[in-house]
Amino acid sequence: MKTTILTLALFFIGVLAMNAQDKNEIKIKTSAQCGMCKDRIEKALAYEKGVYSSNLDLKTKEVTVVYNPKKISPDKIRLAISKVGYQADDLKADPFAYEELPPCCKLPDDKNHQEHQN
Ligand SMILES: [Cu+2]
């Protein structure tokens, strides 16, 4: 029994050490406008394999993503953001997904929706 616990403990320490090695952090500039955008982007990233966590700062519009570089690439992360309707660095938002966004989530230079800005 004692050996089992020891083995398990060593296993978990090993897993933690491995995780520490496979963690990268990246900051991606997005076109997020409000809290809903933040939720939408963070939720989309949560579904991506290899993404540990993401946090979007609405002031800078930058999303900080902690990910496993062996499982996902920065390009794939940007693509996931684009697919829900937002620009990610130089990658343009998917036009169809962008159209589906609520008015308040569209870009400020989109004249039709300017009055909804907060
Ligand atoms: Cu929004």
Side-chain angles (χ1 to χ4, degrees):
M1 188 60 195
K2 261 187 182 167
T3 343
T4 317
I5 291 169
L6 192 69
T7 312
L8 272 176
L10 282 174
F11 175 74
F12 280 118
I13 290 167
V15 167
L16 285 175
M18 270 166 59
N19 274 351
Q21 261 182 350
D22 291 342
K23 256 183 194 176
N24 258 16
E25 197 180 286
I26 190 178
K27 278 186 199 295
I28 297 172
K29 185 95 176 159
T30 74
S31 51
Q33 302 297 314
C34 68
M36 278 164 70
C37 302
K38 175 177 157 75
D39 286 350
R40 199 173 286 118
I41 290 171
E42 288 175 357
K43 221 170 259 174
L45 290 173
Y47 282 116
E48 291 298 312
K49 269 191 187 148
V51 170
Y52 295 121
S53 68
S54 66
N55 184 36
L56 195 146
D57 183 343
L58 279 172
K59 275 182 197 155
T60 59
K61 298 182 179 182
E62 268 182 355
V63 61
T64 305
V65 186
V66 182
Y67 68 101
N68 183 339
K70 286 182 181 163
K71 290 187 177 161
I72 193 163
S73 67
D75 277 347
K76 267 194 164 177
I77 296 172
R78 289 187 193 100
L79 195 64
I81 296 170
S82 161
K83 273 185 184 166
V84 286
Y86 298 95
Q87 192 163 335
D89 289 337
D90 292 332
L91 184 67
K92 288 263 186 315
D94 178 291
F96 296 104
Y98 178 80
E99 275 311 306
E100 296 286 299
L101 292 179
C104 67
C105 294
K106 298 196 175 179
L107 295 172
D109 55 14
D110 195 334
K111 283 176 201 131
N112 301 322
H113 305 292
Q114 214 149 27
E115 70 272 23
H116 293 292
Q117 282 305 301
N118 52 2

